[in-house]
Structures are given as structure tokens and as C-alpha cells.
Amino acid sequence: MGKTVVILGGGSGGIAAANILRKNLKKEHRVILIDKNSYHYFAPSFLWYIFGSRTQDQVRRKIDVLKNKGIEYIKADISGIDIERKAVHTNVKDISYDYLIIALGAELDLDIIPGFNEAAYSFYNFEECVRLKDNLKNFSNGNVAVVISSMPFKCPAAPYEMAVLLDYYFKKNKK
């Protein structure tokens, strides 16, 4: 009798886990990935997108293409996990599992710095990268600060990469 593996999160960790499991498990076993988003965004390419080296379609893929590999995808908000009953509660339905992988990633707390949301950009969120890319074109002068607001944080190299890319961009564009 086949087992069911449920993976929470369609980020890089969840997608990698789903692909590896599907490749290595017999077809009688189910691999189900649950995520609230329709797209997987490849965050390591966000900085490339901001500076024009990648397009939106190059940094995102529809998650439902996993079905072509035999991975089930459920677009849903996760509201809880019932460990005793081995079930994940979502706004769509409850999903039973034999094994559970939690790959939800880190959530950013942008409110830790008062006024951040109104005056700054986060390059860890694609929508913010779109906004930054659009507004960077209109930047004419002033100071730019690349801030690490608290520890730990996503992708420790990203702030340094952003600082170097901004420096290159401003020198290249004489801003």
C-alpha cells in the first residue's frame, strides 16, 4: 500500500524535495505539494531581474507543471497541522499524510523598522523587486542604504550582492 508525502511550501526547498521524492519513490506513493501561490519564484534571480538581466518569466514558473512529473499540487492557504491525526488543514480541504515535510521558508518582519514599508524596498519579495526596478529608473540623486534589519535573515549574501550591483548600476548610469 502506497504512502502519502505532503510537502508544505512551493519555494526552492519544497520544489526540490518534491522532485527528488517523485524521482526516487515508486509510483504507488503520492507526493503532494501545498502552497498558497500559483507560481514558484526563484529568489536568487531577483537581483538580476531588478537590474534588467532577467525577465519576469525567467524568474518564475507555474507550480502546477509539477503534475507532469506525477506530483500533485494543491493551491491553498495552510491553516494548521493536526499531528495526532496526521492531517494538514487548508482553506480548500484537509489533506492526510503519512510523512510531512515543512518547507515554508522564512517570513520577513518588515515592521521591525518603523516606516520601512512606506520608505524602503525589500529585494526578497518579487512584488517589491518590480517596484524597485520601476523606481530605480527615476532615482536621480541621494543616498542609498542596504540594511540588514535583524538576524537571522534570508540569503546572507544578498545584501552584499545588492550593494555591489547598486554601485555598478550608479557608476554605469552616472547617478
Side-chain angles (χ1 to χ4, degrees), residues 101-119:
I101 297 174
I102 301 172
L104 295 170
E107 286 293 322
L108 299 175
D109 182 8
L110 302 179
D111 295 326
I112 198 166
I113 299 175
F116 182 91
N117 288 318
E118 296 78 29

Side-chain angles (χ1 to χ4, degrees), residues 32-37 73-80 88-95:
I32 303 171
L33 186 134
I34 304 170
D35 195 88
K36 64 184 176 185
N37 298 306
Y73 162 63
I74 300 171
K75 183 181 185 304
D77 289 314
I78 301 159
S79 57
V88 175
H89 304 296
T90 75
N91 64 322
V92 174
K93 63 181 179 178
D94 288 353
I95 298 107

Side-chain angles (χ1 to χ4, degrees), residues 22-23 25-30 69-70:
R22 183 68 287 151
K23 183 179 176 181
L25 292 175
K26 294 180 181 178
K27 295 296 178 202
E28 67 193 57
H29 303 294
R30 292 174 69 197
K69 297 180 179 184

Side-chain angles (χ1 to χ4, degrees), residues 96-165:
S96 297
Y97 63 84
D98 293 295
Y99 300 96
L100 179 66
I101 297 174
I102 301 172
L104 295 170
E107 286 293 322
L108 299 175
D109 182 8
L110 302 179
D111 295 326
I112 198 166
I113 299 175
F116 182 91
N117 288 318
E118 296 78 29
Y121 302 90
S122 171
F123 45 81
Y124 293 109
N125 172 294
F126 189 74
E127 290 77 22
E128 284 289 297
C129 290
V130 171
R131 192 170 71 93
L132 176 55
K133 179 180 182 176
D134 292 343
N135 290 331
L136 194 57
K137 295 173 196 170
N138 300 323
F139 184 85
S140 58
N141 63 27
N143 295 315
V144 174
V146 178
V147 177
I148 299 168
S149 62
S150 66
M151 299 288 282
F153 59 95
K154 291 182 174 189
C155 187
Y160 304 102
E161 291 171 352
M162 179 55 124
V164 169
L165 287 169

